[in-house]
Amino acid sequence: MRRTACLVALATLLALAACGEKKEEAKVPEGPLEVLGLKTVAAFSAIADPAERSAALFGEMAKVIAHPRCLNCHPRGDTPTQGESMRPHEPPVARGANGHGPPGMMCSTCHGATNVAFAGSPGSIPGHPHWGLAPLEMAWAGVPAAEICAQIKDPSRNGGRTLEALVEHMGKDSLVGWGWEPGEGRAPAPGDQATFGALVAAWVETGAHCPAP
Amino acid sequence: MAKLGLESPSRRAFLGGTGALVVAVALPLKSLAQSGAAKVLAGEAGAQSFAPNAFVRIATDDTVTVLIKHIEFGQGPFTGLATLVAEELDADWAQIRAEHAPADATLYANAAFGPIQGTGGSTAMAVSYELMRKAGAAARVMLVAAAAKAWSVPPAEITVAKGVVAHEATGRSSGFGALAEAAAQEAPPAEPALKTPDRFVYIGKDMPKLDTGGKLDGSALFTLDVYRDGMLTAVVAHPDKLGAKVASVDETAARAVPGVVDVKTLGSGVAVYAETTFAALKGRRALAVAWDETGAETRSSAEIAAAAQEAARGRGALAREAGSVDEAFKGEGTILQAEYLFPYLAHAPMEPLDAVIARSEDGIEAWMGSQIQTLDQGTIAAVCGVEPAKVAIHTMLAGGSFGRRAQPTSHLAAEAAQAFMAAGGTRPVKLMWTREDDIRGGYYRPLMAHRLRGLVAPDGAILAWEQVIAGQSFLAGSPFEGMVQNGIDPTMVEGASDLHYAIPNLHVSVHTLPSPVTTLWWRSVGHTHTGYAVETFLDELLERGGKDPVEGRLALLAEEPRLAGVLSRAAEIAGWGRAPGEGRAFGVAAVHSFNSYVAQIAEVSIEGGVPRVHRVWCAVDCGLAVNPNVVAAQMEGGIGYGLGAMLFDEITLEAGGAVRQSNFHDYRSLRIGEMPEVEVAIVPSTENPTGVGEPGVPPIAPAVANAMRRLTGRTPRRLPVVAAV
Amino acid sequence: MVVSLSVNGEAVEVDADPDTPLLWVLRDHLRLTGTKFGCGIAQCGACTVHLNGQPRRACVTPLGSLDGYDVTTIEGLKGPEADAVRAAWTALDTPQCGYCQSGQIMTAAALLAAVPSPGDGDIDAALAGNICRCATYVRIRKAVKTAAAALKG
């Protein structure tokens, strides 16, 4: 448990560092063009038009945003989904008043502060101190990338965040970061949080344009 | 609250076990047997002789302990059988206790099984009704005789009521405890008189269950709760493919896990022994086992299903014939045909299989939820190299069974005993199966295919019925093989070969298809599939003939008054004939199984492609209902169990034969939000009581399916419904 | 690793592998066997305890995460909700095999502490993670309502 916490902290530090670097070098990005299946900002430098580049950056961000690790807890209804196939959560659980489940069956009834490997069988139960459902206005499951983009920019549907706060959140928040540390038996989101955070920062810098619907 | 610390509760908890015949005063078994008591009821169980007082123990503190020869796993024998004794003993209910009888086939054989102690086929009440009443009556006669001597009054003047023995004229009275020692010296009556039903005080009443209290505060002890000094916990790595054997093991990493004590290869897999459960589980995950798949099932369940369906397209061994279906099918009318497919099903009792084996002073002790004690006892004896009589089985409360603990092969007892002996046969060993072992470990309700063909005459009469059933027999090759007659396993065709509906031309046949997949009876056995096929197909034939599902069935049940009776009663409480709720439909089914009769009507809607069962009306005729509340509970539970399987459950073998499912996330259980409201009506009867553990299961799935057909136009032909939708 | 926690109101120190699930700490180390093993992966609810007053599946709760926590098991469950739940469970003879009932009761008591008058929806949502293979659900639902009514007096 402690080890996982350290890893999360380390990932956050790396993300911070990475974000800083990328920001400084945004105009002449260097380094790898792809990290663990996620294109880096550098891969988009050939697109001259900033708006076009911005939209393309969001398209890349959507690989993470629309990944089951994220969508499973950003459902459109009141019940989360599970697994790569995004099947209904088993046992059946409800959103509850605050997204953390109803009395008697809170998210925290099963999900702890960290991922916990099962004692007797392969796999693990995911965990994070803030484990819960994203608010309904942040529902992304089954939503086209262009609409998610509009949602994410809209402070009334992104938790009241400015674009700058969004960069911070996507690049550093440890619950977002869980997507890359999902525990035994789950595929992580593409890339890593640093690469993703840099994409978000670059997208905001280029005007936060959305892909065509 | 319970005391904390490492003190083992086991010693205290088990003082009350089989040794208690010595501890408790009164009615000592041995003296009774010597005095001829063993012959008192000799006619009751055929050639088996037994003493009535093997069932009753009265202590000086007035408690009456009834020894229950059937395992209690929720179906109610503790309360039901104790009620019979209390009734004839005229005890006070508050002084009644129940505990499992020891494993001893000479005293506790199940008359329905022959010389074997065991529970199954919903027989516990049926085979105990007179036996336990006579045991109570005999004890009462002896208490009265003792009091008569002590008070120098004629026995006929003595009354017994609510645990008090009294003589009105002299004003003398006594509790049972004070008379117990003297009563033990009395000769047991040859044929104690039994009450007529009009004098029943407890039978037919909702007596509070004797095992409820301990299940509300954690004090009820199950096998998993047994801890012995020096005990090791063992888990066994079983193969992914059923029938595979251990080829080689790399145990290095497992042995390196702190707490792991030993690793041994058994016939069934590789056992990891540890000081704690967690270490054992960790150790098992660290094992690297190579499996020899020579004898394994390597077909997928889809291939097995295709073979069964193909077989069912031609007739098999004849199980029943009436008239001539071949002639009838040449006649006028409409022929309907349907193919059904039923998956492998795991029982998935809440408590996975487990057993504790230890050495006693002169033999072996075992603690387990043993459902066929005599076979388990013999198996443990053979493995441990002692006489069966030297194997003491403490039958424990079990967390459900649904057939899973009734093992003709005694495979759990064998694995536990092998694990114990392989580790040296000194330290007690607790063998624990995990849920994964349970779901992936075989002993499934067999995969079955049915093909039905029926003829509806132009006037709506059903003139011909042909049914072919194909699947695996779990009796073949087992100690119960004697049940297989003329090559036909009756548990594969029950409910079809004895079709109750008056159809003049009938042909039922069966194909027995072997497979290395281990299979077993699953709550209501053959009726789990025959009930569904018969009741859904009949519903379609009736509809084609323009008949009402209830009226149409009743017209075919003129010779079956009890089945007709439950159908009429269910229709009555459901208000059959009224319109269902908006977007809903009713479906009905009636099944006779295990000598009881159950009809159910379900009100169903389809939500998001998935059936939702809102309410079920259930009528049951199980003869005299000894405890109506327990009968109702068994109907409710049977409905939930059957509904969950119908909706969600299927064990599938992947290409190559490995089991796909592993736990409750992919072997779904019905959950509270999916449980319908249930109303149960018990049809009054003066017949002797029959079972209720299983008969509640068969009708629910076809009742729901018949409602679904009214909503969607289609009968689900393969189960489960949700995977098939 | 030694972990200090409170179990049923008593301070305990447990020296064990910090990855050991609370379920096995309670059973193997403290011999509190009322908390049951049913699935090991938080699917069935048989191992439900209260952690600082809230329901928690002990099978996925590592010992190492419990330093300073209050654990209540079925053996130590007390208070008006517990009394009302046990009385209602008794009145309806709710348990069948009984193996899941510790977990059902732990959840039901927690529900009533949070929602004094639960409707069917509240009950079904709270107990959705507690499997009963005997399907005593009809009586569980009734018993929770009976207990709620008794608590209101």
Side-chain angles (χ1 to χ4, degrees), chain B residues 1 6 209 212 215-216 224-225 227 277 282 347-348 435 629 634 636 663 670-672 675 677, chain C residues 8 17 27-31 33 36 38-39 43 86 90 93 95-97 128 133-134 137 139 141:
Chain B
M1 61 159 280
L6 287 163
K209 284 166 73 179
T212 292
K215 293 174 176 177
L216 307 181
L224 198 69
D225 306 332
Y227 285 82
T277 312
K282 249 177 137 172
H347 308 69
R435 180 59 58 197
N629 193 38
Q634 285 306 298
E636 294 161 13
N663 207 316
L670 194 82
R671 293 181 184 271
I672 191 167
M675 181 74 196
E677 290 300 316
Chain C
N8 295 334
D17 182 339
R27 296 181 56 85
D28 286 353
H29 297 262
L30 303 177
R31 296 290 155 82
T33 56
K36 302 302 188 201
C39 71
Q43 283 291 329
R86 287 199 177 102
T90 303
D93 261 339
Q96 289 187 27
C97 87
R133 291 291 289 162
C134 301
Y137 299 128
R139 286 167 198 243
R141 234 185 256 145

Side-chain angles (χ1 to χ4, degrees), chain C residues 4 19 30 42 55 87 93 106 118 138 140 145 147 151:
Chain C
S4 304
D19 290 337
L30 303 177
D93 261 339
M106 295 306 287
V138 172
I140 289 175
K145 289 181 194 168
L151 282 167

Side-chain angles (χ1 to χ4, degrees), chain B residues 637-680:
Chain B
I639 287 165
Y641 195 74
L643 179 59
M646 180 228 191
L647 293 178
F648 306 119
D649 291 342
E650 174 176 28
I651 293 289
T652 45
L653 311 188
E654 310 271 17
V659 179
R660 178 183 302 162
Q661 291 76 14
S662 63
N663 207 316
F664 285 127
H665 66 290
D666 54 8
Y667 193 79
R668 277 275 268 112
S669 181
L670 194 82
R671 293 181 184 271
I672 191 167
E674 293 145 353
M675 181 74 196
E677 290 300 316
V678 177
E679 185 179 333
V680 178

Side-chain angles (χ1 to χ4, degrees), chain A residues 33-120:
Chain A
L33 297 180
E34 190 174 307
V35 173
L36 300 169
L38 186 68
K39 285 181 189 163
T40 63
V41 174
F44 296 87
S45 56
I47 305 174
D49 176 48
E52 206 183 313
R53 188 160 78 245
S54 191
L57 284 163
F58 189 86
E60 194 63 15
M61 283 162 57
K63 283 188 188 168
V64 171
I65 291 167
H67 191 272
R69 288 297 77 72
C70 304
L71 290 194
N72 278 335
C73 290
H74 279 260
R76 273 192 289 184
D78 284 335
T79 55
T81 50
Q82 266 179 335
E84 310 310 311
S85 63
M86 299 181 60
R87 61 189 179 274
H89 189 283
E90 186 63 30
V93 292
R95 177 179 292 279
N98 59 4
H100 288 93
M105 184 71 171
M106 316 276 280
C107 300
S108 60
T109 298
C110 301
H111 298 279
T114 61
N115 301 329
V116 173
F118 296 136

Side-chain angles (χ1 to χ4, degrees), chain B residues 254-516:
Chain B
R255 284 185 181 277
V257 172
V260 169
V261 171
D262 210 345
V263 177
K264 293 286 181 192
T265 296
L266 313 176
S268 55
V270 181
V272 177
Y273 305 77
E275 301 289 355
T276 65
T277 312
F278 184 55
L281 292 169
K282 249 177 137 172
R284 182 171 74 169
R285 288 197 68 191
L287 280 178
V289 185
W291 299 98
D292 171 5
E293 294 176 5
T294 312
E297 176 60 88
T298 52
R299 292 176 296 168
S300 67
S301 45
E303 291 172 272
I304 297 169
Q309 286 190 299
E310 187 51 41
R313 284 177 194 133
R315 288 177 181 168
L318 185 65
R320 168 94 186 274
E321 186 170 28
S324 168
V325 288
D326 291 329
E327 285 306 310
F329 278 126
K330 289 176 192 160
E332 236 188 307
T334 310
I335 294 176
L336 270 67
Q337 176 157 318
E339 291 187 351
Y340 292 86
L341 186 63
F342 302 92
Y344 288 115
L345 290 176
H347 308 69
M350 281 312 295
E351 181 188 19
L353 298 182
D354 44 12
V356 176
I357 309 274
R359 211 167 272 289
S360 63
E361 270 178 27
D362 66 341
I364 297 290
E365 273 187 289
W367 293 260
M368 60 187 290
S370 179
Q371 195 170 340
I372 311 180
Q373 287 90 342
T374 307
L375 297 183
D376 290 341
Q377 193 175 32
T379 298
I380 294 167
V383 173
C384 298
V386 301
E387 290 298 309
K390 297 287 186 195
V391 175
I393 294 184
H394 307 275
T395 301
M396 302 298 294
L397 292 174
S401 172
F402 317 115
R404 185 65 184 88
R405 298 178 205 276
Q407 300 158 7
T409 58
S410 283
H411 74 88
L412 178 76
E415 187 175 79
Q418 284 170 16
F420 172 72
M421 293 304 284
T426 51
R427 292 182 70 174
V429 170
K430 177 191 284 179
L431 170 71
M432 185 187 93
W433 279 37
T434 59
R435 180 59 58 197
E436 288 79 11
D437 292 313
D438 173 61
I439 299 292
R440 304 171 70 84
Y443 297 93
Y444 304 129
R445 192 285 303 275
L447 180 152
M448 302 297 292
H450 285 233
R451 181 177 59 84
L452 286 102
R453 212 151 62 102
L455 175 72
V456 183
D459 67 354
I462 301 169
L463 296 181
W465 178 285
E466 182 190 352
Q467 185 163 8
V468 188
I469 300 169
Q472 216 177 318
S473 166
F474 47 79
L475 292 180
S478 85
F480 289 85
E481 183 148 32
M483 286 171 73
V484 178
Q485 303 215 323
N486 305 320
I488 293 170
D489 173 347
T491 68
M492 294 174 73
V493 296
E494 59 186 1
S497 60
D498 53 348
L499 188 76
H500 293 297
Y501 298 107
I503 296 174
N505 302 289
L506 182 65
H507 191 285
V508 179
S509 65
V510 60
H511 296 273
T512 306
L513 308 171
S515 159

Side-chain angles (χ1 to χ4, degrees), chain B residues 108-127:
Chain B
Y108 301 113
N110 182 331
F113 292 3
I116 290 177
Q117 182 180 354
T119 302
S122 298
T123 56
M125 181 53 76
V127 299

Side-chain angles (χ1 to χ4, degrees), chain B residues 245-256:
Chain B
K245 302 271 176 238
V246 177
S248 65
V249 192
D250 181 351
E251 53 194 52
T252 320
R255 284 185 181 277

